Amino acid sequence: MMATTQQPFKWTHWISAKVGQSTIYQIDKRYTIISKIGQGTYGTVALAMDNKENRKKRKKEVAIKKIGQLFGCKTDSIRILREIQILKHLNGNRHICTLEDLMVPDPNTKFDHMYIVLGYMPADLHRVIHSSTTPLTKRHICYMSYQM
């Protein structure tokens, strides 16, 4: 019996992209990073283009959330898992951003972060509530409460 040497598996469909000043995304080459659109509690959010054409032969804008220190705190890990489960359960609701994809880093690197790909929405509830240009009326609050 001959011994064979295994070559490390190489992921050829991954690219590295710089987002903002210092954040590096290692994502599937199907996505093209456009710009950084936010910074949250769990990581950075970037606007990207999904280069895979949909049924209408159009490319789609997506938001890619990089979650760093995935296993740094048990409570945060549970919250992230809960967010993914809720998004998966509510997928298809037109009032909630869609969960498009989940990506983990190249297996040849340390698994301490992941990427959540969401359908892009130009505004979020936090921005709407805290906007100084448009004060919320009772009608706005009733409408948003109904949508939730």
Side-chain angles (χ1 to χ4, degrees), residues 3-113:
T4 59
T5 58
Q6 283 189 323
Q7 296 294 323
F9 181 73
K10 206 146 173 114
W11 286 36
T12 56
H13 62 278
W14 286 85
I15 59 167
S16 290
K18 190 172 183 177
V19 177
Q21 295 292 328
S22 60
T23 306
I24 301 292
Y25 275 45
Q26 287 185 317
I27 55 173
D28 192 316
K29 68 180 178 182
R30 144 185 186 178
Y31 301 103
T32 303
I33 299 291
I34 298 170
S35 65
K36 178 179 175 178
I37 57 175
Q39 182 78 29
T41 306
Y42 300 115
T44 307
V45 182
L47 175 63
M49 186 63 66
D50 184 348
N51 296 314
K52 183 179 174 186
E53 294 178 345
N54 62 14
R55 290 181 299 217
K56 298 177 184 176
K57 301 289 183 197
R58 285 188 272 171
K59 296 177 182 178
K60 185 162 97 173
E61 287 183 323
V62 294
I64 302 178
K65 180 193 279 189
K66 179 180 181 178
I67 300 171
Q69 298 180 356
L70 193 57
F71 306 108
C73 171
K74 183 178 177 182
T75 304
D76 288 344
S77 300
I78 291 169
R79 286 180 184 151
I80 293 163
L81 178 61
R82 187 179 305 128
E83 176 183 352
I84 293 168
Q85 289 173 326
I86 290 170
L87 285 168
K88 188 175 176 183
H89 179 73
L90 297 175
N91 229 12
N93 184 320
R94 66 185 182 102
H95 301 291
I96 298 172
C97 55
T98 56
L99 177 63
E100 300 288 332
D101 197 4
L102 294 172
M103 292 183 285
V104 294
D106 183 325
N108 297 319
T109 62
K110 186 178 177 187
F111 180 35
D112 63 350
H113 63 280

